[in-house]
């Protein structure tokens, strides 16, 4: 259902029989606050609540529904417009080599998420393999290798190769030889100010031409979400988004800005550190949690 | 002319939005603006025309005040004084997952070493894949010893061993790494409390991500409640965030932000500059 703070805001409004502009203003403020606390972009929050205010005060109600239901519908529709109506799965052509590349800001959860996706698809009968193309972070090789071992999934890396593009190419070649259907490519963390790393990401993508590039976003990411996602989109074609660390108290509102910036849907969410802590994105559930 | 309550409301709201857009937690922005507004109304100092200017100046001063520590913490100075007494300085690094604890520990190890201190590191993250190897790689490059055990071992015991080792070998600094943990996970908070209790560190540093939004408030609040933080380090400031996280952390803990992380290399650590941040948040 709707988040409980939104529900209580609506109860205040619709205890009254007459639409009171003051009460609507108060409702709008409550919705604004809930969305801001959830880390939704400030400008987006203003746009959403402006729409809610206009429609809540609209004299012409759609037939057969109450004013309260109408306002709820407006809030939901506005969020659904950004989050998508239903979940979109990863496209994997069985029997073919599907290369999926993970990118994202430092510490967002790329390596851990690859471990989870490997387990997820291996369980579903897809031959999965993982490649470490992170040439920078100390111990990245060991981290991914240990995660791959947990799910008994083939792993490839080369600690002596210092070029990320070469790592990706070699790894892809090795995985193809093994007949792996879903090949997950791990890359180093990077942010929008690191121009040479952004270029490196583009070079990797141009070289191995992944089926899909997944942007991994930390669920705690704040008002920077939109501009950071934009920088990734400008450099490469982002196919989908995964939001991590939603097992904590963060609401993940930055995700909305990321979707808006990349035009890519969220496909999975991360709910913990274990290899089973992943689930397909559910827009209704996500919106409900957002509204607190 | 007296300040009209209604016009002040507009300035208050506007500046509140500026702070929120700069990643200051909503609750912190609201409280700072509310307290500053009351102060202005109490002073009745400004003229109606200069209202937004007066309020903005007052907010800037409030922000600067929150960011400027009453009791500054300089880990190098602290360690120096302890070294003169022949004592070991123990520093514990805590924070949620992926904020940069291990990297910050390595940067500070480098900093201490460059300033003539001997350092030993405790591999206190025995949970996450590759955490021990990551620390070992850093330590290897810096020429520093790591006290470690296997994955799954008791972090508090490893910290204890490292401190005993430092005392026996007359090593100046013990840096204790710990696993990332969500502030909503009671078991992991309890584990952290145990590490702090057993190791009894001189300095407990909360490592916060400058890119985090409202969640950083609850992180700092819960970590402070659990083990009483002495200071914070704000990482990934090179990613060009507006830095509001610094304000939320300082506000809810009353403790200073000591350093900022400005990149992934060992030298990418700087002193926290309250005025620079205040300018960025309000200027
Ligand atoms: N609680 C929780 N922790 C997570 C989740 N996803 C990742 N983590 C943790 O977040 C931390 C960072 O994860 P990594 O996989 O190393 O992140 P990364 O993006 O690969 O980091 P870099 O390679 O340095 O950019 C680790 O402690 C993970 O265990 C999640 O969904 N929930
Ligand atoms: N750009 C930038 N990256 C940083 C900074 N500090 C840390 N990082 C990167 O952030 C990522 C995570 O750093 P870690 O030190 O592994 O973080 P952690 O808190 O120890 O992570 P867990 O132990 O998994 O909770 C790594 O890729 C680091 O290089 C910083 O100040 N700037
Ligand atoms: Mg990684
Ligand atoms: Mg660590």
């Amino acid at each position: 259902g709707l988040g409980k703070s939104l529900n209580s805001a609506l109860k205040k409004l619709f205890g009254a029989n007459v639409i009171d502009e003051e009460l609507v203003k108060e409702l709008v403020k409550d919705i604004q606050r809930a969305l801001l606390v959830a880390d939704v972009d400030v400008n987006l929050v203003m746009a959403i609540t402006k729409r809610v205010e206009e429609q809540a005060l609209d004299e012409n109600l759609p037939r057969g529904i109450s004013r309260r239901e109408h306002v709820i519908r407006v809030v939901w529709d506005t969020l659904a417009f950004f989050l998508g109506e239903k979940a979109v799965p990863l496209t994997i052509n069985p029997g073919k080599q599907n290369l999926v590349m993970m990118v994202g800001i430092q510490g967002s959860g790329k390596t851990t998420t690859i471990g989870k996706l490997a387990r997820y698809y291996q369980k579903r009968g897809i031959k999965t393999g993982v490649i470490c193309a992170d040439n920078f972070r100390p111990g990245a090789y060991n981290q991914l290798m240990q995660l791959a071992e947990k799910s008994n999934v083939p792993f490839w890396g080369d600690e002596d190769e210092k070029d990320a593009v070469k790592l990706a190419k070699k790894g892809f070649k090795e995985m193809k030889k093994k007949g792996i259907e879903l090949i997950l490519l791990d890359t180093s963390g990077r942010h929008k100010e690191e121009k040479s790393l952004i270029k490196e990401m583009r070079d990797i993508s141009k070289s191995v031409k992944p089926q899909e590039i997944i942007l991994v976003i930390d669920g705690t990411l704040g008002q920077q979400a939109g501009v950071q996602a934009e920088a990734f989109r400008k450099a490469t074609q982002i196919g989908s988004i995964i939001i991590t660390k939603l097992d904590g108290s963060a609401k993940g509102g930055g995700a909305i800005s990321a979707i808006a910036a990349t035009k890519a849907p969220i496909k999975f969410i991360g709910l913990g550190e274990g290899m089973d802590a992943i689930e397909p994105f559910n827009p209704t559930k996500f919106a409900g949690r957002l509204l607190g | 002319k007296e300040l009209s309550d209604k016009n002040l409301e507009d300035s208050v709201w506007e500046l509140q939005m500026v702070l929120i857009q700069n990643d200051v937690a909503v609750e912190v922005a609201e409280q700072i603006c509310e307290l500053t507004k009351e102060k202005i109304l109490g002073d009745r100092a400004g003229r109606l025309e200069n209202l937004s200017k007066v309020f903005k100046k007052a907010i800037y001063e409030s922000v600067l005040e929150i960011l400027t520590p009453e009791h500054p913490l300089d880990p190098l100075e602290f360690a120096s004084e302890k070294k003169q007494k022949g004592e070991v300085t123990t520093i514990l690094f805590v924070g949620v997952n992926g904020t940069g604890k291990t990297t910050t520990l390595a940067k500070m190890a480098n900093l201490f070493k460059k300033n003539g201190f001997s350092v030993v590191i405790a591999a206190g993250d025995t949970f996450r894949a590759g955490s021990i190897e990551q620390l070992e790689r850093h330590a290897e490059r810096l020429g520093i010893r790591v006290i470690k055990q296997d994955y799954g071992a008791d972090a508090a015991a490893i910290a204890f061993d490292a401190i005993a080792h430092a005392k026996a070998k007359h090593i100046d600094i013990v840096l204790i790494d710990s696993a990332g943990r969500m502030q909503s996970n009671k078991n992991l908070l309890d584990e952290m409390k145990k590490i702090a209790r057993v190791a009894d560190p001189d300095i407990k540093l909360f490592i916060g991500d400058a890119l985090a939004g409202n969640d950083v408030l609850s992180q700092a609040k819960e970590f402070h409640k659990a083990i009483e933080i002495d200071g914070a380090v704000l990482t990934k400031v090179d990613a060009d965030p507006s830095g509001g996280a610094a304000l939320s952390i300082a506000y809810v803990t009353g403790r200073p932000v000591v350093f900022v992380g400005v990149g992934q290399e060992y030298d990418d650590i700087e002193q926290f500059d309250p005025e620079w941040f205040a300018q960025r948040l309000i200027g």
Side-chain angles (χ1 to χ4, degrees):
Chain A
L2 213 60
K4 46 182 163 63
S5 73
L6 184 57
N7 251 325
S8 67
L10 287 167
K11 281 208 175 76
K12 268 191 260 166
L13 180 65
F14 300 115
N17 275 326
V18 176
I19 279 304
D20 178 341
E21 228 181 277
E22 274 308 306
L23 274 181
V24 170
K25 294 241 183 285
E26 206 176 311
L27 167 71
V28 165
K29 273 224 170 324
D30 285 347
I31 294 174
Q32 255 175 21
R33 190 176 194 283
L35 293 175
L36 287 173
V37 169
D39 291 322
V40 179
D41 176 270
V42 169
N43 293 322
L44 207 51
V45 171
M46 296 308 141
I48 292 173
T49 51
K50 183 162 176 286
R51 210 160 162 257
V52 169
E53 188 169 2
E54 289 165 357
Q55 308 218 358
L57 289 173
D58 183 359
E59 284 312 314
N60 307 316
L61 265 186
R63 295 203 57 206
I65 72 171
S66 71
R67 173 81 54 183
R68 178 176 192 279
E69 286 168 330
H70 178 59
V71 170
I72 294 179
R73 169 51 53 83
V74 172
V75 176
W76 275 117
D77 285 353
T78 317
L79 284 177
F81 172 74
F82 290 101
L83 296 172
E85 292 283 332
K86 54 188 169 66
V88 179
L90 253 192
T91 311
I92 300 179
N93 304 310
K96 295 270 183 320
Q97 277 107 30
N98 299 267
L99 180 64
V100 174
M101 174 179 171
M102 305 295 252
V103 300
I105 295 174
Q106 287 89 347
S108 57
K110 297 174 289 301
T111 307
T112 307
T113 301
I114 287 189
K116 295 176 184 178
L117 285 175
R119 158 97 42 118
Y120 185 88
Y121 283 105
Q122 186 92 328
K123 275 210 301 222
R124 286 160 174 75
I126 308 264
K127 287 180 75 180
T128 309
V130 304
I131 301 169
C132 172
D134 180 344
N135 57 339
F136 179 79
R137 174 170 154 156
Y141 174 100
N142 307 81
Q143 182 182 8
L144 187 56
M145 180 171 68
Q146 288 169 22
L147 293 180
E149 277 173 7
K150 283 197 184 161
S151 305
N152 200 10
V153 162
F155 161 84
W156 186 90
D158 180 353
E159 289 195 279
D160 298 322
E161 177 56 75
K162 290 303 166 211
D163 183 311
V165 177
K166 291 206 179 113
L167 277 172
K169 277 177 97 167
K170 282 195 211 167
F172 189 29
K173 190 153 164 261
E174 289 305 313
M175 285 292 159
K176 277 197 276 195
K177 278 196 208 155
K178 290 192 158 104
I180 303 293
E181 297 174 290
L182 176 62
I183 304 166
L184 301 168
L185 178 66
D186 195 11
T187 66
S188 312
R190 66 202 77 225
H191 58 66
K192 70 178 175 72
E193 296 302 313
E194 293 161 328
K195 305 300 184 199
S196 61
L197 292 183
I198 295 289
K199 174 171 186 305
E200 176 193 81
M201 175 177 66
R202 185 164 58 240
D203 291 344
I204 296 174
S205 157
K206 281 202 183 131
S207 165
V208 293
K209 302 192 183 33
Q211 242 84 346
E212 181 135 345
I213 299 177
I214 302 183
L215 177 61
V216 177
I217 295 203
D218 192 319
T220 65
L221 186 56
Q223 295 287 321
Q224 277 284 309
V227 295
Q228 294 285 344
E230 175 77 353
F232 281 88
R233 181 194 67 83
K234 282 209 173 101
T236 51
Q237 170 74 354
I238 301 293
S240 57
I241 295 174
I242 294 182
I243 310 283
T244 63
K245 309 180 197 173
L246 289 183
D247 46 307
S249 51
K251 302 273 167 53
I256 302 190
S257 314
I259 299 172
T262 59
K263 312 274 180 291
I266 302 175
K267 293 192 178 168
F268 286 97
I269 64 173
L271 291 168
E273 293 193 77
M275 292 298 98
D276 292 315
I278 188 167
E279 68 183 40
F281 180 64
N282 178 334
T284 313
K285 221 169 160 190
F286 187 85
R289 180 200 160 95
L290 205 65
L291 292 166
Chain B
K1 288 198 186 144
E2 272 198 11
L3 303 185
S4 119
D5 208 358
K6 188 71 188 79
N7 286 348
L8 185 55
E9 282 305 325
D10 291 343
S11 302
V12 171
W13 192 88
E14 256 172 57
L15 267 173
Q16 202 169 288
M17 281 305 133
V18 165
L19 288 174
I20 291 173
Q21 206 153 16
N22 286 335
D23 273 322
V24 176
V26 171
E27 190 181 317
V28 175
E30 285 173 341
Q31 291 182 14
I32 292 176
C33 289
E34 193 56 27
L35 290 171
T36 307
K37 177 185 108 185
E38 290 181 4
K39 184 162 175 296
I40 295 219
L41 288 176
D43 292 350
R44 301 197 180 281
R47 298 155 62 83
L48 203 59
E49 308 84 71
N50 288 333
L51 201 48
S52 56
K53 264 227 200 107
V54 168
F55 183 67
K56 190 168 184 192
K57 183 161 181 301
I59 285 286
Y60 176 85
E61 288 174 358
S62 306
V63 167
L64 188 57
E65 186 176 352
I66 294 166
L67 292 177
T68 306
E70 229 184 293
H71 306 288
L73 169 61
D74 182 337
L76 287 170
E77 250 185 63
F78 184 98
S80 200
E81 291 178 11
K82 289 214 92 183
K83 178 165 172 147
Q84 289 182 8
K85 297 193 230 145
E87 292 170 8
V88 176
T89 297
T90 306
I91 305 181
L92 173 64
F93 294 76
V94 299
V96 308
N97 304 71
T99 56
K101 297 174 290 301
T102 305
T103 307
T104 302
L105 182 156
K107 291 174 183 175
M108 285 182 61
N110 180 51
L111 194 60
F112 278 117
K113 230 183 152 212
K114 288 216 312 248
N115 281 276
F117 296 92
S118 54
V119 182
V120 69
I121 296 174
D125 178 353
T126 55
F127 171 75
R128 201 210 70 210
S131 63
I132 299 178
E133 288 84 352
Q134 180 185 11
L135 245 195
E136 285 184 308
R137 293 294 153 79
H138 279 303
E140 226 171 285
R141 291 181 195 173
L142 296 171
I144 293 176
R145 174 149 187 193
V146 177
I147 305 295
K148 60 166 182 160
Q149 284 175 35
D150 288 327
Y151 284 102
D154 177 16
I158 297 170
F160 186 84
D161 282 352
I163 295 169
H165 172 88
K167 289 188 175 155
K169 306 280 180 183
H170 307 291
I171 294 176
D172 306 318
I173 316 282
V174 178
L175 302 177
I176 307 170
D177 195 15
S178 74
R181 68 201 71 229
M182 293 295 191
Q183 72 274 22
S184 50
N185 187 321
K186 177 158 188 315
N187 290 339
L188 292 184
L189 287 188
D190 285 344
E191 184 212 39
M192 179 176 65
K193 285 182 192 169
K194 179 171 173 215
I195 300 173
R197 202 172 48 243
V198 166
D200 190 18
D202 299 292
I203 301 175
K204 287 163 273 179
L205 285 180
F206 170 76
I207 313 301
D209 189 333
L211 292 167
N214 278 268
D215 197 57
V216 95
L217 180 63
S218 121
Q219 290 175 23
K221 192 187 284 181
E222 296 308 318
F223 274 74
H224 190 49
K225 205 158 132 221
I227 63 170
E228 206 177 333
I229 298 299
D230 299 300
V233 177
L234 198 67
T235 63
K236 307 180 199 172
V237 171
D238 51 309
D240 190 30
S242 330
L247 191 58
S248 306
I249 296 170
Y251 185 80
V252 80
T253 62
R255 296 298 148 88
V257 178
V258 177
F259 291 123
V260 292
V262 293
Q264 303 188 92
E265 304 291 348
Y266 298 122
D267 291 329
D268 292 329
I269 181 167
E270 295 175 358
Q271 293 269 0
F272 177 71
D273 182 349
E275 282 188 25
W276 188 87
F277 269 77
Q279 273 293 338
R280 237 177 123 75
L281 288 172
I282 306 289

